[in-house]
Amino acid sequence: MPSTGSEDKIEAFWKSCREYIPAEDWDASFASWSFGDSAELANDLLKLVISGAKTATCGALFDYEADNEAIPLEGSYHILTDFEGAPACLIQMSSVTLSAFRDVPVVFAFAEGEGTYEEWKQAHTEFFKRRATETGNVFDGETVLVLERFKVVYAIPE
């Protein structure tokens, strides 16, 4: 199957990141994705990552299951894109844990860089309720989240 222009850009970006990762990882697999469910949200969160304000993210386990995607592994590489799919930075997962929404530590919420704990809780409740509706799930305090901490390996200079 021929690759799309976006896939070519992702692959070229991965190759350009080689000087920032250990040689033994040059042939590592990687995932590419954008944040959120809208252009505004995706691009705003990407800016937070590039600025260093956002060093964590989370997703509902039901989304991984609905998309038939594996949970990220510690040490795995991910290319973050804007909402249109253009690569912007390479991150590496430093930890991946599971937690019920009601048990997400305040320190983790702050690492997401999106405001106060209450602002984080409200925004994530709204987001996960939308996702639950779209995937035929229910969101509540018991919903299991995948908590991901990461470091930026390389970002395209602005």
Side-chain angles (χ1 to χ4, degrees):
M1 174 184 292
S3 62
T4 65
S6 182
E7 289 171 347
D8 290 342
K9 288 179 184 174
I10 298 289
E11 188 63 35
F13 180 79
W14 171 248
K15 288 179 181 175
S16 75
C17 290
R18 285 187 172 169
E19 67 183 276
Y20 304 100
I21 62 175
E24 61 267 17
D25 289 349
W26 286 2
D27 293 324
S29 61
F30 62 89
S32 66
W33 45 275
S34 64
F35 290 106
D37 57 356
S38 70
E40 181 180 16
L41 182 58
N43 298 336
D44 287 349
L45 296 178
L46 180 58
K47 287 177 188 171
L48 290 174
V49 170
I50 292 170
S51 75
K54 182 174 182 61
T55 59
T57 193
C58 64
L61 183 59
F62 63 65
D63 270 335
Y64 285 94
E65 293 167 346
D67 294 338
N68 200 26
E69 288 184 23
I71 294 170
L73 299 174
E74 187 174 314
S76 61
Y77 291 100
H78 300 257
I79 296 173
L80 300 183
T81 70
D82 64 15
F83 194 69
E84 292 75 35
C89 72
L90 177 68
I91 62 170
Q92 186 177 28
M93 293 297 165
S94 53
S95 74
V96 180
T97 58
L98 300 179
S99 173
F101 179 76
R102 65 173 164 67
D103 296 331
V104 172
V106 172
V107 68
F108 181 87
F110 285 143
E112 286 220 42
E114 300 171 42
T116 67
Y117 179 71
E118 288 305 316
E119 290 168 330
W120 176 90
K121 191 174 179 182
Q122 180 180 344
H124 283 74
T125 296
E126 292 168 5
F127 175 77
F128 290 130
K129 282 184 177 182
R130 285 195 310 270
R131 293 297 304 145
T133 299
E134 292 171 16
T135 59
N137 288 284
V138 174
F139 172 77
D140 60 25
E142 297 298 315
T143 299
V144 176
L145 301 184
V146 180
L147 307 183
E148 306 163 29
R149 289 185 174 268
F150 55 83
K151 64 180 181 179
V152 174
V153 176
Y154 171 74
I156 294 175
E158 290 190 53

mmCIF file of all heavy atoms in Angstrom, residues 120-158:
data_model
loop_
_atom_site.group_PDB
_atom_site.id
_atom_site.type_symbol
_atom_site.label_atom_id
_atom_site.label_comp_id
_atom_site.label_asym_id
_atom_site.label_seq_id
_atom_site.Cartn_x
_atom_site.Cartn_y
_atom_site.Cartn_z
ATOM 1 N N TRP A 120 -8.434 20.953 35.711
ATOM 2 C CA TRP A 120 -8.062 19.686 35.082
ATOM 3 C C TRP A 120 -9.206 18.697 35.185
ATOM 4 O O TRP A 120 -9.587 18.066 34.203
ATOM 5 C CB TRP A 120 -6.802 19.108 35.752
ATOM 6 C CG TRP A 120 -6.425 17.771 35.217
ATOM 7 C CD1 TRP A 120 -5.589 17.522 34.163
ATOM 8 C CD2 TRP A 120 -6.874 16.494 35.677
ATOM 9 N NE1 TRP A 120 -5.498 16.169 33.947
ATOM 10 C CE2 TRP A 120 -6.281 15.512 34.865
ATOM 11 C CE3 TRP A 120 -7.731 16.087 36.700
ATOM 12 C CZ2 TRP A 120 -6.510 14.148 35.035
ATOM 13 C CZ3 TRP A 120 -7.970 14.724 36.874
ATOM 14 C CH2 TRP A 120 -7.357 13.770 36.051
ATOM 15 N N LYS A 121 -9.754 18.570 36.389
ATOM 16 C CA LYS A 121 -10.831 17.598 36.634
ATOM 17 C C LYS A 121 -12.059 17.905 35.769
ATOM 18 O O LYS A 121 -12.618 17.019 35.143
ATOM 19 C CB LYS A 121 -11.194 17.621 38.118
ATOM 20 C CG LYS A 121 -12.088 16.501 38.549
ATOM 21 C CD LYS A 121 -12.250 16.540 40.073
ATOM 22 C CE LYS A 121 -13.158 15.448 40.535
ATOM 23 N NZ LYS A 121 -13.355 15.495 41.994
ATOM 24 N N GLN A 122 -12.443 19.173 35.692
ATOM 25 C CA GLN A 122 -13.610 19.552 34.888
ATOM 26 C C GLN A 122 -13.374 19.297 33.400
ATOM 27 O O GLN A 122 -14.216 18.713 32.719
ATOM 28 C CB GLN A 122 -13.969 21.014 35.115
ATOM 29 C CG GLN A 122 -15.171 21.448 34.287
ATOM 30 C CD GLN A 122 -15.536 22.903 34.502
ATOM 31 O OE1 GLN A 122 -15.106 23.547 35.453
ATOM 32 N NE2 GLN A 122 -16.349 23.430 33.598
ATOM 33 N N ALA A 123 -12.228 19.749 32.884
ATOM 34 C CA ALA A 123 -11.935 19.573 31.454
ATOM 35 C C ALA A 123 -11.862 18.093 31.090
ATOM 36 O O ALA A 123 -12.369 17.680 30.033
ATOM 37 C CB ALA A 123 -10.627 20.270 31.097
ATOM 38 N N HIS A 124 -11.249 17.292 31.953
ATOM 39 C CA HIS A 124 -11.127 15.865 31.652
ATOM 40 C C HIS A 124 -12.456 15.133 31.802
ATOM 41 O O HIS A 124 -12.740 14.207 31.048
ATOM 42 C CB HIS A 124 -10.022 15.231 32.490
ATOM 43 C CG HIS A 124 -8.664 15.561 31.955
ATOM 44 N ND1 HIS A 124 -8.107 16.811 32.102
ATOM 45 C CD2 HIS A 124 -7.785 14.831 31.234
ATOM 46 C CE1 HIS A 124 -6.933 16.825 31.502
ATOM 47 N NE2 HIS A 124 -6.709 15.651 30.961
ATOM 48 N N THR A 125 -13.282 15.553 32.740
ATOM 49 C CA THR A 125 -14.623 14.965 32.864
ATOM 50 C C THR A 125 -15.407 15.216 31.584
ATOM 51 O O THR A 125 -16.014 14.291 31.015
ATOM 52 C CB THR A 125 -15.368 15.544 34.080
ATOM 53 O OG1 THR A 125 -14.663 15.172 35.271
ATOM 54 C CG2 THR A 125 -16.802 15.035 34.145
ATOM 55 N N GLU A 126 -15.378 16.445 31.088
ATOM 56 C CA GLU A 126 -16.096 16.780 29.849
ATOM 57 C C GLU A 126 -15.548 15.970 28.671
ATOM 58 O O GLU A 126 -16.322 15.421 27.883
ATOM 59 C CB GLU A 126 -15.992 18.275 29.562
ATOM 60 C CG GLU A 126 -16.737 19.133 30.560
ATOM 61 C CD GLU A 126 -16.415 20.615 30.465
ATOM 62 O OE1 GLU A 126 -15.661 21.019 29.542
ATOM 63 O OE2 GLU A 126 -16.919 21.379 31.308
ATOM 64 N N PHE A 127 -14.232 15.902 28.559
ATOM 65 C CA PHE A 127 -13.612 15.172 27.449
ATOM 66 C C PHE A 127 -13.962 13.687 27.513
ATOM 67 O O PHE A 127 -14.394 13.093 26.513
ATOM 68 C CB PHE A 127 -12.090 15.361 27.465
ATOM 69 C CG PHE A 127 -11.379 14.549 26.419
ATOM 70 C CD1 PHE A 127 -11.385 14.953 25.091
ATOM 71 C CD2 PHE A 127 -10.723 13.369 26.747
ATOM 72 C CE1 PHE A 127 -10.750 14.204 24.108
ATOM 73 C CE2 PHE A 127 -10.075 12.619 25.771
ATOM 74 C CZ PHE A 127 -10.091 13.033 24.458
ATOM 75 N N PHE A 128 -13.787 13.066 28.677
ATOM 76 C CA PHE A 128 -14.035 11.631 28.780
ATOM 77 C C PHE A 128 -15.518 11.293 28.648
ATOM 78 O O PHE A 128 -15.859 10.210 28.156
ATOM 79 C CB PHE A 128 -13.443 11.059 30.065
ATOM 80 C CG PHE A 128 -11.927 11.041 30.050
ATOM 81 C CD1 PHE A 128 -11.208 11.568 31.108
ATOM 82 C CD2 PHE A 128 -11.230 10.519 28.976
ATOM 83 C CE1 PHE A 128 -9.817 11.567 31.097
ATOM 84 C CE2 PHE A 128 -9.841 10.517 28.943
ATOM 85 C CZ PHE A 128 -9.134 11.031 30.009
ATOM 86 N N LYS A 129 -16.402 12.183 29.033
ATOM 87 C CA LYS A 129 -17.829 11.951 28.794
ATOM 88 C C LYS A 129 -18.125 11.958 27.298
ATOM 89 O O LYS A 129 -18.899 11.129 26.812
ATOM 90 C CB LYS A 129 -18.688 12.988 29.526
ATOM 91 C CG LYS A 129 -18.832 12.694 31.000
ATOM 92 C CD LYS A 129 -19.771 13.679 31.682
ATOM 93 C CE LYS A 129 -19.955 13.311 33.133
ATOM 94 N NZ LYS A 129 -20.883 14.212 33.814
ATOM 95 N N ARG A 130 -17.514 12.911 26.562
ATOM 96 C CA ARG A 130 -17.697 12.926 25.096
ATOM 97 C C ARG A 130 -17.188 11.626 24.490
ATOM 98 O O ARG A 130 -17.836 11.010 23.649
ATOM 99 C CB ARG A 130 -16.937 14.100 24.465
ATOM 100 C CG ARG A 130 -17.545 15.442 24.636
ATOM 101 C CD ARG A 130 -16.956 16.497 23.708
ATOM 102 N NE ARG A 130 -15.518 16.610 23.670
ATOM 103 C CZ ARG A 130 -14.787 17.398 24.451
ATOM 104 N NH1 ARG A 130 -15.369 18.147 25.388
ATOM 105 N NH2 ARG A 130 -13.470 17.457 24.316
ATOM 106 N N ARG A 131 -15.984 11.213 24.902
ATOM 107 C CA ARG A 131 -15.386 9.987 24.360
ATOM 108 C C ARG A 131 -16.216 8.767 24.735
ATOM 109 O O ARG A 131 -16.383 7.858 23.919
ATOM 110 C CB ARG A 131 -13.941 9.828 24.856
ATOM 111 C CG ARG A 131 -12.991 10.872 24.322
ATOM 112 C CD ARG A 131 -12.844 10.816 22.803
ATOM 113 N NE ARG A 131 -12.416 9.495 22.394
ATOM 114 C CZ ARG A 131 -12.799 8.898 21.263
ATOM 115 N NH1 ARG A 131 -13.597 9.501 20.419
ATOM 116 N NH2 ARG A 131 -12.370 7.680 20.965
ATOM 117 N N ALA A 132 -16.741 8.720 25.935
ATOM 118 C CA ALA A 132 -17.564 7.589 26.365
ATOM 119 C C ALA A 132 -18.819 7.485 25.498
ATOM 120 O O ALA A 132 -19.184 6.393 25.055
ATOM 121 C CB ALA A 132 -17.940 7.726 27.836
ATOM 122 N N THR A 133 -19.438 8.612 25.221
ATOM 123 C CA THR A 133 -20.623 8.618 24.361
ATOM 124 C C THR A 133 -20.273 8.104 22.964
ATOM 125 O O THR A 133 -20.996 7.286 22.397
ATOM 126 C CB THR A 133 -21.221 10.040 24.274
ATOM 127 O OG1 THR A 133 -21.602 10.443 25.586
ATOM 128 C CG2 THR A 133 -22.418 10.077 23.349
ATOM 129 N N GLU A 134 -19.138 8.566 22.428
ATOM 130 C CA GLU A 134 -18.725 8.154 21.082
ATOM 131 C C GLU A 134 -18.362 6.678 20.998
ATOM 132 O O GLU A 134 -18.517 6.074 19.940
ATOM 133 C CB GLU A 134 -17.530 9.003 20.625
ATOM 134 C CG GLU A 134 -17.867 10.452 20.386
ATOM 135 C CD GLU A 134 -16.641 11.312 20.140
ATOM 136 O OE1 GLU A 134 -15.557 10.774 19.849
ATOM 137 O OE2 GLU A 134 -16.778 12.546 20.242
ATOM 138 N N THR A 135 -17.863 6.105 22.079
ATOM 139 C CA THR A 135 -17.406 4.711 22.046
ATOM 140 C C THR A 135 -18.382 3.742 22.701
ATOM 141 O O THR A 135 -18.099 2.549 22.791
ATOM 142 C CB THR A 135 -16.034 4.572 22.740
ATOM 143 O OG1 THR A 135 -16.149 5.007 24.099
ATOM 144 C CG2 THR A 135 -14.968 5.382 22.015
ATOM 145 N N GLY A 136 -19.526 4.255 23.178
ATOM 146 C CA GLY A 136 -20.521 3.388 23.803
ATOM 147 C C GLY A 136 -20.133 2.946 25.203
ATOM 148 O O GLY A 136 -20.519 1.864 25.654
ATOM 149 N N ASN A 137 -19.393 3.787 25.909
ATOM 150 C CA ASN A 137 -18.972 3.481 27.270
ATOM 151 C C ASN A 137 -19.619 4.448 28.249
ATOM 152 O O ASN A 137 -20.335 5.361 27.863
ATOM 153 C CB ASN A 137 -17.438 3.590 27.379
ATOM 154 C CG ASN A 137 -16.751 2.450 26.671
ATOM 155 O OD1 ASN A 137 -16.712 1.341 27.163
ATOM 156 N ND2 ASN A 137 -16.219 2.719 25.483
ATOM 157 N N VAL A 138 -19.339 4.223 29.520
ATOM 158 C CA VAL A 138 -19.816 5.106 30.582
ATOM 159 C C VAL A 138 -18.591 5.682 31.273
ATOM 160 O O VAL A 138 -17.632 4.958 31.543
ATOM 161 C CB VAL A 138 -20.679 4.322 31.596
ATOM 162 C CG1 VAL A 138 -21.052 5.192 32.782
ATOM 163 C CG2 VAL A 138 -21.918 3.758 30.920
ATOM 164 N N PHE A 139 -18.637 6.978 31.541
ATOM 165 C CA PHE A 139 -17.550 7.607 32.283
ATOM 166 C C PHE A 139 -18.043 7.961 33.675
ATOM 167 O O PHE A 139 -19.116 8.535 33.847
ATOM 168 C CB PHE A 139 -17.067 8.885 31.587
ATOM 169 C CG PHE A 139 -16.080 9.642 32.435
ATOM 170 C CD1 PHE A 139 -14.766 9.213 32.534
ATOM 171 C CD2 PHE A 139 -16.490 10.722 33.192
ATOM 172 C CE1 PHE A 139 -13.865 9.865 33.352
ATOM 173 C CE2 PHE A 139 -15.594 11.398 34.006
ATOM 174 C CZ PHE A 139 -14.279 10.960 34.092
ATOM 175 N N ASP A 140 -17.254 7.584 34.685
ATOM 176 C CA ASP A 140 -17.515 7.979 36.069
ATOM 177 C C ASP A 140 -16.198 7.940 36.830
ATOM 178 O O ASP A 140 -15.135 7.759 36.223
ATOM 179 C CB ASP A 140 -18.576 7.072 36.717
ATOM 180 C CG ASP A 140 -18.186 5.598 36.752
ATOM 181 O OD1 ASP A 140 -16.978 5.263 36.736
ATOM 182 O OD2 ASP A 140 -19.110 4.759 36.829
ATOM 183 N N GLY A 141 -16.253 8.107 38.130
ATOM 184 C CA GLY A 141 -15.053 8.133 38.944
ATOM 185 C C GLY A 141 -14.253 6.852 38.934
ATOM 186 O O GLY A 141 -13.059 6.847 39.237
ATOM 187 N N GLU A 142 -14.897 5.756 38.565
ATOM 188 C CA GLU A 142 -14.227 4.457 38.520
ATOM 189 C C GLU A 142 -13.554 4.178 37.173
ATOM 190 O O GLU A 142 -12.822 3.201 37.041
ATOM 191 C CB GLU A 142 -15.236 3.328 38.802
ATOM 192 C CG GLU A 142 -15.857 3.392 40.178
ATOM 193 C CD GLU A 142 -14.825 3.247 41.277
ATOM 194 O OE1 GLU A 142 -13.951 2.355 41.184
ATOM 195 O OE2 GLU A 142 -14.876 4.046 42.235
ATOM 196 N N THR A 143 -13.798 5.018 36.196
ATOM 197 C CA THR A 143 -13.212 4.808 34.874
ATOM 198 C C THR A 143 -11.687 4.752 34.984
ATOM 199 O O THR A 143 -11.065 5.626 35.592
ATOM 200 C CB THR A 143 -13.632 5.930 33.906
ATOM 201 O OG1 THR A 143 -15.058 5.905 33.770
ATOM 202 C CG2 THR A 143 -12.989 5.764 32.543
ATOM 203 N N VAL A 144 -11.114 3.708 34.402
ATOM 204 C CA VAL A 144 -9.663 3.521 34.463
ATOM 205 C C VAL A 144 -8.993 4.389 33.405
ATOM 206 O O VAL A 144 -9.377 4.374 32.234
ATOM 207 C CB VAL A 144 -9.284 2.038 34.260
ATOM 208 C CG1 VAL A 144 -7.763 1.861 34.215
ATOM 209 C CG2 VAL A 144 -9.897 1.184 35.372
ATOM 210 N N LEU A 145 -7.990 5.149 33.852
ATOM 211 C CA LEU A 145 -7.204 5.991 32.965
ATOM 212 C C LEU A 145 -5.794 5.430 32.847
ATOM 213 O O LEU A 145 -5.266 4.835 33.783
ATOM 214 C CB LEU A 145 -7.116 7.426 33.494
ATOM 215 C CG LEU A 145 -8.423 8.178 33.709
ATOM 216 C CD1 LEU A 145 -8.116 9.613 34.136
ATOM 217 C CD2 LEU A 145 -9.296 8.160 32.471
ATOM 218 N N VAL A 146 -5.195 5.676 31.701
ATOM 219 C CA VAL A 146 -3.791 5.362 31.467
ATOM 220 C C VAL A 146 -3.035 6.671 31.682
ATOM 221 O O VAL A 146 -3.216 7.625 30.929
ATOM 222 C CB VAL A 146 -3.568 4.826 30.029
ATOM 223 C CG1 VAL A 146 -2.101 4.500 29.807
ATOM 224 C CG2 VAL A 146 -4.457 3.618 29.764
ATOM 225 N N LEU A 147 -2.233 6.719 32.746
ATOM 226 C CA LEU A 147 -1.481 7.918 33.095
ATOM 227 C C LEU A 147 -0.081 7.814 32.505
ATOM 228 O O LEU A 147 0.659 6.890 32.833
ATOM 229 C CB LEU A 147 -1.384 8.085 34.613
ATOM 230 C CG LEU A 147 -2.696 8.045 35.401
ATOM 231 C CD1 LEU A 147 -2.418 8.289 36.883
ATOM 232 C CD2 LEU A 147 -3.705 9.033 34.861
ATOM 233 N N GLU A 148 0.262 8.755 31.650
ATOM 234 C CA GLU A 148 1.529 8.709 30.922
ATOM 235 C C GLU A 148 2.367 9.935 31.241
ATOM 236 O O GLU A 148 1.918 11.056 31.049
ATOM 237 C CB GLU A 148 1.255 8.662 29.413
ATOM 238 C CG GLU A 148 0.328 7.537 29.009
ATOM 239 C CD GLU A 148 -0.256 7.718 27.621
ATOM 240 O OE1 GLU A 148 0.397 8.342 26.763
ATOM 241 O OE2 GLU A 148 -1.388 7.262 27.402
ATOM 242 N N ARG A 149 3.571 9.704 31.716
ATOM 243 C CA ARG A 149 4.543 10.784 31.913
ATOM 244 C C ARG A 149 5.587 10.642 30.814
ATOM 245 O O ARG A 149 5.951 9.528 30.437
ATOM 246 C CB ARG A 149 5.199 10.708 33.288
ATOM 247 C CG ARG A 149 4.233 11.086 34.402
ATOM 248 C CD ARG A 149 4.969 11.125 35.728
ATOM 249 N NE ARG A 149 4.122 11.609 36.778
ATOM 250 C CZ ARG A 149 4.034 12.885 37.152
ATOM 251 N NH1 ARG A 149 4.743 13.807 36.541
ATOM 252 N NH2 ARG A 149 3.239 13.247 38.140
ATOM 253 N N PHE A 150 6.069 11.775 30.319
ATOM 254 C CA PHE A 150 7.000 11.727 29.196
ATOM 255 C C PHE A 150 8.004 12.853 29.282
ATOM 256 O O PHE A 150 7.840 13.809 30.035
ATOM 257 C CB PHE A 150 6.250 11.801 27.856
ATOM 258 C CG PHE A 150 5.352 13.011 27.735
ATOM 259 C CD1 PHE A 150 5.864 14.235 27.335
ATOM 260 C CD2 PHE A 150 4.002 12.920 28.024
ATOM 261 C CE1 PHE A 150 5.035 15.354 27.220
ATOM 262 C CE2 PHE A 150 3.170 14.030 27.908
ATOM 263 C CZ PHE A 150 3.690 15.248 27.508
ATOM 264 N N LYS A 151 9.057 12.703 28.486
ATOM 265 C CA LYS A 151 10.027 13.784 28.331
ATOM 266 C C LYS A 151 10.109 14.101 26.844
ATOM 267 O O LYS A 151 9.964 13.221 25.994
ATOM 268 C CB LYS A 151 11.397 13.403 28.881
ATOM 269 C CG LYS A 151 12.052 12.260 28.149
ATOM 270 C CD LYS A 151 13.407 11.933 28.730
ATOM 271 C CE LYS A 151 14.041 10.788 27.932
ATOM 272 N NZ LYS A 151 15.350 10.430 28.408
ATOM 273 N N VAL A 152 10.319 15.372 26.539
ATOM 274 C CA VAL A 152 10.504 15.786 25.155
ATOM 275 C C VAL A 152 11.947 15.466 24.779
ATOM 276 O O VAL A 152 12.884 15.879 25.458
ATOM 277 C CB VAL A 152 10.211 17.298 24.971
ATOM 278 C CG1 VAL A 152 10.563 17.741 23.547
ATOM 279 C CG2 VAL A 152 8.751 17.592 25.284
ATOM 280 N N VAL A 153 12.103 14.716 23.715
ATOM 281 C CA VAL A 153 13.425 14.371 23.199
ATOM 282 C C VAL A 153 13.881 15.432 22.199
ATOM 283 O O VAL A 153 15.022 15.861 22.213
ATOM 284 C CB VAL A 153 13.411 12.969 22.547
ATOM 285 C CG1 VAL A 153 14.751 12.633 21.921
ATOM 286 C CG2 VAL A 153 12.987 11.913 23.570
ATOM 287 N N TYR A 154 12.965 15.842 21.340
ATOM 288 C CA TYR A 154 13.269 16.850 20.326
ATOM 289 C C TYR A 154 11.976 17.525 19.885
ATOM 290 O O TYR A 154 10.953 16.857 19.719
ATOM 291 C CB TYR A 154 13.936 16.212 19.104
ATOM 292 C CG TYR A 154 14.085 17.171 17.947
ATOM 293 C CD1 TYR A 154 15.044 18.180 17.977
ATOM 294 C CD2 TYR A 154 13.236 17.103 16.844
ATOM 295 C CE1 TYR A 154 15.167 19.091 16.933
ATOM 296 C CE2 TYR A 154 13.351 18.004 15.801
ATOM 297 C CZ TYR A 154 14.310 18.997 15.842
ATOM 298 O OH TYR A 154 14.421 19.903 14.831
ATOM 299 N N ALA A 155 12.034 18.826 19.712
ATOM 300 C CA ALA A 155 10.891 19.579 19.168
ATOM 301 C C ALA A 155 11.405 20.452 18.034
ATOM 302 O O ALA A 155 12.497 21.003 18.100
ATOM 303 C CB ALA A 155 10.263 20.440 20.249
ATOM 304 N N ILE A 156 10.595 20.559 16.996
ATOM 305 C CA ILE A 156 10.941 21.432 15.884
ATOM 306 C C ILE A 156 10.942 22.871 16.414
ATOM 307 O O ILE A 156 9.971 23.301 17.024
ATOM 308 C CB ILE A 156 9.916 21.297 14.728
ATOM 309 C CG1 ILE A 156 10.007 19.892 14.122
ATOM 310 C CG2 ILE A 156 10.162 22.372 13.665
ATOM 311 C CD1 ILE A 156 8.949 19.623 13.069
ATOM 312 N N PRO A 157 12.046 23.581 16.209
ATOM 313 C CA PRO A 157 12.090 24.970 16.711
ATOM 314 C C PRO A 157 11.022 25.819 16.024
ATOM 315 O O PRO A 157 10.747 25.679 14.851
ATOM 316 C CB PRO A 157 13.494 25.447 16.310
ATOM 317 C CG PRO A 157 14.266 24.225 15.970
ATOM 318 C CD PRO A 157 13.268 23.175 15.546
ATOM 319 N N GLU A 158 10.454 26.715 16.813
ATOM 320 C CA GLU A 158 9.403 27.592 16.255
ATOM 321 C C GLU A 158 10.020 28.770 15.554
ATOM 322 O O GLU A 158 11.075 29.214 15.787
ATOM 323 C CB GLU A 158 8.487 28.064 17.367
ATOM 324 C CG GLU A 158 7.639 26.912 17.889
ATOM 325 C CD GLU A 158 6.550 27.397 18.823
ATOM 326 O OE1 GLU A 158 5.784 28.301 18.425
ATOM 327 O OE2 GLU A 158 6.474 26.890 19.931
#
